[in-house]
Amino acid sequence: MVVAFPVGLIGDGGLAIAPFAFGALAVAGGLVALVHVARMRFLLARNPWTVRPCRFGSVGGGNGQPTLVLWPPEPPSDSEQLGPAAVEPRGPYEAVMSVVSVVWRWGALEACDGATVWFVGSRRWGGVVAAPGTMELFWVRPLRIPPLRWFLARRVLDAGGQRNRR
């Protein structure tokens, strides 16, 4: 898309494109946000919330890498089986997720460190996490690279000690 301006009104016209470029970026960001909202609504409408024990921590400097370590949900009773547990081969946890959020929203998850969160989704595809008692929803994605996943889980668990499942 080429936009032409009279040279006499706005200099040589090179800086005149900047507002349109920023506008295009804002529109693209808004469209991405709408897609995320639609995905979140679809996921929340079709799946139940589960209560998961968790650990949360930021690994690294600066913004860090927000890491959420989830354990399988507690069974409702000892006699009721929920199916085979899909547990990581290197740890007692079920999944290591990366939180898709900005740093100033992490406070809700930091308050849940060592407690529980509400989770909708799967350990393979990620999902939505909510801190109990708040209206904050967070996208979480699984970490696909096993050495990175194990490193981040170890750093988060070492920061506050291992968490027992029960």
Side-chain angles (χ1 to χ4, degrees):
M1 178 170 130
V2 176
V3 179
F5 288 99
V7 175
L9 294 177
I10 309 179
D12 65 355
L15 294 176
I17 295 178
F20 294 107
F22 289 128
L25 286 175
V27 168
L31 291 175
V32 168
L34 285 176
V35 169
H36 283 297
V37 167
R39 286 179 54 210
M40 192 179 285
R41 289 186 66 144
F42 179 83
L43 189 64
L44 292 173
R46 288 163 178 75
N47 296 298
W49 287 102
T50 58
V51 177
R52 303 286 183 106
C54 76
R55 291 298 316 272
F56 176 78
S58 170
V59 178
N63 281 348
Q65 171 68 45
T67 305
L68 187 70
V69 179
L70 296 175
W71 278 264
E74 301 294 333
S77 69
D78 291 335
S79 62
E80 189 174 333
Q81 296 295 323
L82 293 179
V87 178
E88 278 280 332
R90 286 207 170 192
Y93 45 83
E94 179 184 22
V96 180
M97 303 279 187
S98 176
V99 179
V100 182
S101 178
V102 291
V103 71
W104 54 83
R105 290 191 61 218
W106 295 352
L109 288 177
E110 286 173 352
C112 294
D113 184 25
T116 59
V117 292
W118 299 335
F119 177 72
V120 172
S122 73
R123 72 183 196 97
R124 289 190 178 177
W125 303 107
V128 179
V129 168
T134 67
M135 303 213 26
E136 300 265 354
L137 298 176
F138 298 92
W139 272 111
V140 291
R141 290 188 289 216
L143 293 165
R144 305 255 186 232
I145 304 168
L148 177 63
R149 182 173 61 229
W150 299 328
F151 169 76
L152 291 173
R154 187 173 63 241
R155 293 288 301 268
V156 169
L157 294 175
D158 288 346
Q162 286 280 347
R163 178 177 170 16
N164 295 329
R165 284 192 57 200
R166 297 197 191 269

